[in-house]
Amino acid sequence: MKNFFSSHTIICIHILYVAAVVLCVVCLILIWPIGVIRTPVESHNGADGRISTGPLSEESYTEQFFVPQFSYLESMSIAIVYEEIQDPDSALVVLSILNSSGEKVFCVEKAAVDFPSSSFCEIPVGIFLKKGQQYSWTVSLKSDANEEIGLLATSPDVITPLENSVLYYNGELTSSAAVVDYIYGIIPGKTALLIYDSFILTIFLLAVLGIRHLQGRKPPAAANK
């Protein structure tokens, strides 16, 4: 019985050691290079004199070309303009992101009523893009009613933020840029990574010390003698 307890305890301790090592390695990899912990960085318009691009529909849409400044786009905030939504139940704002080949890499539909008129509404994206390569995003509208909803844009000849290049409405070039807030997620700097890694390694060492403490304890039968 004593031998069984000892062998059983040894197996459990080995399993705990392996589990602690695997968990430590997984946590370190998740922090870098995968980058589960990311710092948000925003790039948005600061221009006054904002206007509407024109009514949106499934056929009438805007297309904003942009060049991402970082590789992970966490979310985007865009703004639409309207006086009243005729059919709140069916009106959907459709946001799509396309790569330089025109392939759709992201698409989402969001109820128009979730957008306060002329104010930012954040849309989660969570995709990796190629930094410095040109992309575009389009906004259209699905609705059973004839809605007067447009995308908010800057006054003519004001091109901000840095990412934005040209804006098209119904395939025609405009002199404006979409009002938008690009929210990136970047991996923390070396100092922050060192702090995170040190914390994980400290937890790992404490776990190892706890396992060694269990390993040094005698089984009940031996303790009673």
Side-chain angles (χ1 to χ4, degrees), residues 91-178:
L92 296 172
V93 175
V94 183
L95 171 68
S96 301
I97 299 178
L98 299 88
N99 61 21
S100 57
S101 301
E103 299 171 337
K104 193 177 295 185
V105 296
F106 175 82
C107 184
V108 68
E109 297 180 356
K110 190 175 181 67
V113 293
D114 292 338
F115 291 78
S117 182
S118 303
S119 299
F120 275 141
C121 179
E122 186 173 345
I123 300 174
V125 178
I127 61 171
F128 286 93
L129 303 174
K130 293 183 179 179
K131 177 182 175 181
Q133 182 173 317
Q134 182 170 266
Y135 290 80
S136 70
W137 53 270
T138 65
V139 175
S140 59
L141 184 74
K142 290 182 178 180
S143 179
D144 295 335
N146 187 19
E147 304 283 2
E148 291 291 327
I149 298 177
L151 181 71
L152 197 63
T154 63
S155 54
D157 302 319
V158 177
I159 306 297
T160 57
L162 178 63
E163 287 85 348
N164 284 359
S165 53
V166 292
L167 175 69
Y168 285 84
Y169 173 66
N170 284 342
E172 294 185 4
L173 179 64
T174 72
S175 56
S176 301

Side-chain angles (χ1 to χ4, degrees), residues 63-117:
E63 183 171 18
Q64 174 69 65
F65 286 83
F66 75 107
V67 178
Q69 301 301 299
F70 298 96
S71 60
Y72 184 75
L73 185 60
E74 193 169 279
S75 61
M76 286 175 57
S77 291
I78 60 175
I80 60 175
V81 186
Y82 59 86
E83 291 186 3
E84 182 183 2
I85 299 177
Q86 303 297 326
D87 189 355
D89 294 330
S90 69
L92 296 172
V93 175
V94 183
L95 171 68
S96 301
I97 299 178
L98 299 88
N99 61 21
S100 57
S101 301
E103 299 171 337
K104 193 177 295 185
V105 296
F106 175 82
C107 184
V108 68
E109 297 180 356
K110 190 175 181 67
V113 293
D114 292 338
F115 291 78
S117 182

